[in-house]
Amino acid sequence: SAFQICYPLTADSADVQAAADAEEYLSYLVLDLSVRGEIPAGFGAYLKEKNAYPYLTEEEWDLLKSDRPDFLGVNYYASLAVKKPGPIDPKADLAFFNMEDYVIVNNPFLPTTTWLRGSYDPLGMKLTLRKLNDRYRLPMIITENGYPQTEAPDEEGCINDQERIDYIAAHLHAVKEAVSEGIPVFGYNIWSFMDLLSGSQGYKKRYGLVYVDHQEGNRGTLKRMPKKSYNWYRNVINTNGKYI
């Protein structure tokens, strides 16, 4: 599941409720159905108010509740900041997730990058793992985590993606801290091994440890070139994360 941790913009209780509502809709709705066989209470009330609550027989609800997964696969990239209903911030990252009960805004306390606008948040990964462990008590594996940026080889054919190294190192450290607290995380998968097509940004948005010479307009040789992060991550694996 792609988990979207949501912070209230302020200590206003209305912002706190808005953040809780956003988390229920964006993350817990699917997870609660998959793990518990139920709809989160707050969002369930919203669906009933809109006459949109799914009709299932008692037997069908029992069937949903009877098949608990063995573990959770967690995709994490960034966090969100949320405020109570009001004016929409058109520059907010992931503003298309807005609903009538909450408004997504840029977090003024987090650094900005080209593709992770205002939500570069390694600590958010640790908090995500805490929340998921408290709610579901299941082992977890990080199925996706990585850093997107626009990049190209320099004159010597090298891709110095130090920003990606810093991002991955910080998030691996967050996972390491979570494990040290007793949270059962049994694996980590980086996104991604090589550059690939981004669903909405094409080849402008790259995640890979290996550069693929493929450009917009179906141009390029498809040549593969390891980036600086490739060699760094290989060393992380070989040393079992000794230097993280």
Side-chain angles (χ1 to χ4, degrees), residues 171-181 241-244:
H171 286 73
L172 281 173
H173 185 73
V175 175
K176 185 176 182 180
E177 287 189 344
V179 171
S180 72
E181 293 177 358
K242 180 179 179 180
Y243 302 106
I244 296 300

Side-chain angles (χ1 to χ4, degrees), residues 150-160 195 206 211-213 215 223 225-227:
T150 301
E151 58 199 352
D154 61 21
E155 294 180 356
E156 298 178 355
C158 299
I159 301 100
N160 182 3
D195 290 339
R206 296 175 179 267
Y211 183 83
V212 178
D213 181 21
Q215 317 300 330
K223 179 181 178 181
M225 291 173 278
K227 304 175 187 177

